[in-house]
Amino acid sequence: MATARHYDTILAPVITEKATLLTEQNKVVFQVAKDATKDEIAAAVEELFKVRVIKVNTLITKGKTKRFRGILGRRSDVKKAIVTLQEGQTIDISTGL
């Protein structure tokens, strides 16, 4: 039951150039639920990936207004979590869960 809640908290890994550079500092970036707290994010990462979390930083990226074929649209807001892992521990996000 608790595992399902963890999957609702952690939505997807963020795979960008900046996020890849953070892996050298023992940090992993995830897209998380908008209502997730730092404690919930830390518990979910520790349970799902069996690693020790030191710190969690969160940020909300506001959605942009974009045009597609002349039709005005808006991207959704996205909450991201930068998770700092204990020294020597890693998460291989390319393998999946």
Side-chain angles (χ1 to χ4, degrees), residues 23-38:
T23 57
E24 297 172 4
Q25 302 172 17
N26 265 14
K27 296 181 181 182
V28 185
V29 184
F30 293 103
Q31 181 179 343
V32 296
K34 287 190 187 86
D35 59 347
T37 64
K38 291 183 179 185

Side-chain angles (χ1 to χ4, degrees), residues 25-89:
Q25 302 172 17
N26 265 14
K27 296 181 181 182
V28 185
V29 184
F30 293 103
Q31 181 179 343
V32 296
K34 287 190 187 86
D35 59 347
T37 64
K38 291 183 179 185
D39 291 334
E40 291 172 352
I41 295 166
V45 171
E46 286 182 350
E47 180 70 27
L48 293 175
F49 298 102
K50 307 293 187 242
V51 293
R52 177 85 174 98
V53 173
I54 301 294
K55 185 167 71 168
V56 176
N57 293 359
T58 59
L59 61 118
I60 297 177
T61 305
K62 298 295 181 184
K64 298 178 178 181
T65 303
K66 292 286 188 176
R67 285 189 179 276
F68 180 71
R69 295 187 178 175
I71 300 171
L72 200 61
R74 180 164 164 74
R75 290 188 188 167
S76 301
D77 295 348
V78 175
K79 185 170 185 176
K80 298 179 193 173
I82 301 172
V83 179
T84 305
L85 302 177
Q86 194 173 37
E87 202 64 40
Q89 295 191 332

Side-chain angles (χ1 to χ4, degrees), residues 14-24 27 29 80:
V14 176
I15 303 172
T16 60
E17 188 173 355
K18 189 177 277 192
T20 306
L21 287 175
L22 285 175
T23 57
E24 297 172 4
K27 296 181 181 182
V29 184
K80 298 179 193 173

